[in-house]
Amino acid sequence: MSVIESVVSCRVLDSFRVQMVSGMFDVSLDEKLSNRFAIEIPTDDDWRVGMIVGPSGSGKSSIAAKAFGSQVYRGFRWPARKAIVDAFPAELETRSILRTLISVGLSSPPAWCKPYRVLSTGEQFRADLAMSLVSPDPLIAFDEYTSVVDRRTAQMGSAALRKSIDAGHIDRQFVAITCHRDVIDWLQPDWVADMSSGQLSRRRLRRPKLEMQIRAGSISDWPLFAKHHYLDPRLNPAARCFLATLDNQPVAFAAVLNHFRKHTFRFTRLVTLPSFQGIGVGGALLDGVAAHLVDNEDAELVSISGSHPAVIHHCNASSRWEFRELKKTGRRASGFFRDHPDWKVSLGRAVASFRYQE
């Protein structure tokens, strides 16, 4: 442990009004006003996530600058016209960039190909997180963590970040510097330096449980999710739709079709809204719908084919999904969309296929 001290001073230009206020309220000016901040910060390596929390003006940024120096991330000047994937350092491989974006819950390919300025506030927050994490430094301190996003997005983004850190996808120590205490339970920091009390506490909280429900949906639910999917926005009218909700709020969508014969199904759509990406909602919906089809509708085969890294990772990591084949050049469109001019076939991209197992 190490006690970090910081003194922030500002010189005051003397004036008649300053002297009047000083006299009226007994404010000691001397030559300058100063604030002293001090708190204990861990110096060992036996932690993954830390947090400095406190209200505005409590000295969080000053302490962080003193403790972590150039490892404090205070923002990035994103190019106005470049897609966010092109804004990352040129020496990084595209696969590495996409893994980092996915690890912070920015999993929508359409968002990867847009400039930062047109992204939603939540997507911008996750893009900033990803940019901070490609630093070669072994420790990243993120100032103003979750300051500009709604609180639900802040909580889900924190859960996604912690999940990726625990899974080893992010090989960094991470320190969140924030005035928002509502993310503590979701980020689960190993230590918290509370500037209000001046105390350091080591703890690892249990993340709140998310009660997700899966219910039958309809094609009318699809427009909410369509723009976040990387394939054609149209949906086959014969598709059966399923919806995942949290607190009665739609968060993910899945669609299945009969695959050539009765009791055989394949997933054709699986989309999670950006604010809820990275916390396992899509995988839970995929598994839940597949289990329902097998257990309640006598499905003999449930399959999914796709190229999204998050879907492939989930299926590879799950004992419920068996890898079947990898088509390195994709497949041609067929059936309902065969002759549609807007149909985007998977030719040119690798497509992995998996089969659900009881």
Side-chain angles (χ1 to χ4, degrees), residues 229 231-236 257 266 268-269 331-347 349:
H229 197 257
L231 295 178
D232 190 274
R234 291 183 45 160
L235 186 66
N236 192 311
L257 283 171
R266 64 182 176 88
T268 61
R269 293 290 185 269
R331 58 183 176 82
R332 293 186 179 277
S334 60
F336 176 79
F337 291 110
R338 178 184 296 145
D339 300 319
H340 193 278
D342 295 331
W343 174 246
K344 297 178 183 178
V345 299
S346 60
L347 288 174
R349 58 183 172 85

Side-chain angles (χ1 to χ4, degrees), residues 104-119:
V104 298
L106 187 51
S107 302
S108 300
W112 302 340
C113 298
K114 294 177 182 178
Y116 177 87
R117 60 185 174 82
V118 305
L119 299 179

Side-chain angles (χ1 to χ4, degrees), residues 265-285:
F265 300 89
R266 64 182 176 88
F267 282 85
T268 61
R269 293 290 185 269
L270 182 65
V271 188
T272 302
L273 293 180
S275 293
F276 300 90
Q277 291 175 0
I279 59 173
V281 168
L285 176 59

Side-chain angles (χ1 to χ4, degrees), residues 215-228 233 235 240-245 248-255 271 273:
R215 63 175 175 82
S218 69
I219 290 181
S220 64
D221 296 313
W222 174 240
L224 177 63
F225 300 88
K227 66 180 180 179
H228 304 296
L235 186 66
R240 292 184 54 188
C241 304
F242 297 87
L243 206 61
T245 63
N248 294 318
Q249 176 184 355
V251 296
F253 178 95
V271 188
L273 293 180

Side-chain angles (χ1 to χ4, degrees), residues 93-107 112 130 134 164 169-170 309 313:
E93 294 183 355
T94 302
R95 289 180 182 274
S96 175
I97 295 170
L98 298 187
R99 279 197 300 268
T100 305
L101 290 168
I102 291 171
S103 73
V104 298
L106 187 51
S107 302
W112 302 340
V134 300
S164 292
H169 301 150
I170 296 174
H313 173 76

Side-chain angles (χ1 to χ4, degrees), residues 116-333:
Y116 177 87
R117 60 185 174 82
V118 305
L119 299 179
S120 69
T121 303
E123 289 171 332
Q124 289 180 346
F125 162 65
R126 294 183 192 240
D128 281 323
L129 265 182
M131 183 61 75
S132 74
L133 293 169
V134 300
S135 165
D137 293 328
L139 183 149
I140 300 298
F142 196 100
D143 203 6
E144 300 296 336
Y145 180 77
T146 75
S147 293
V148 297
V149 294
D150 67 88
R151 304 324 303 158
R152 190 60 162 170
T153 297
Q155 293 166 358
M156 295 301 100
S158 297
L161 178 60
R162 182 78 219 203
K163 180 172 179 282
S164 292
I165 289 173
D166 288 343
H169 301 150
I170 296 174
D171 188 23
R172 301 281 189 281
Q173 288 180 303
F174 184 86
V175 180
I177 306 159
T178 182
C179 59
H180 296 288
R181 297 177 180 274
D182 62 342
V183 297
I184 293 178
D185 289 350
W186 299 92
L187 188 60
Q188 297 179 289
D190 303 303
W191 58 264
V192 176
D194 190 334
M195 299 301 296
S196 296
S197 64
Q199 299 295 314
L200 171 72
S201 60
R202 278 191 180 261
R203 54 180 172 174
R204 178 70 184 275
L205 302 177
R206 185 183 298 276
R207 184 182 300 131
K209 287 187 177 181
L210 293 172
E211 298 293 339
M212 189 182 86
Q213 294 81 41
I214 299 175
R215 63 175 175 82
S218 69
I219 290 181
S220 64
D221 296 313
W222 174 240
L224 177 63
F225 300 88
K227 66 180 180 179
H228 304 296
H229 197 257
Y230 61 96
L231 295 178
D232 190 274
R234 291 183 45 160
L235 186 66
N236 192 311
R240 292 184 54 188
C241 304
F242 297 87
L243 206 61
T245 63
L246 290 173
D247 300 326
N248 294 318
Q249 176 184 355
V251 296
F253 178 95
V256 299
L257 283 171
N258 279 106
H259 192 46
F260 301 124
R261 66 180 187 273
K262 190 177 180 180
H263 302 309
T264 301
F265 300 89
R266 64 182 176 88
F267 282 85
T268 61
R269 293 290 185 269
L270 182 65
V271 188
T272 302
L273 293 180
S275 293
F276 300 90
Q277 291 175 0
I279 59 173
V281 168
L285 176 59
L286 178 66
D287 294 350
V289 172
H292 167 78
L293 294 173
V294 170
D295 296 338
N296 299 294
E297 302 194 22
D298 300 323
E300 299 172 0
L301 172 66
V302 179
S303 65
I304 184 170
S305 297
S307 57
H308 196 292
V311 173
I312 294 173
H313 173 76
H314 172 80
C315 292
N316 275 328
S318 172
S319 60
R320 290 292 188 181
W321 291 94
E322 177 188 10
F323 173 73
R324 303 293 290 172
E325 63 177 334
L326 176 67
K327 293 183 178 180
K328 294 186 177 181
T329 56
R331 58 183 176 82
R332 293 186 179 277

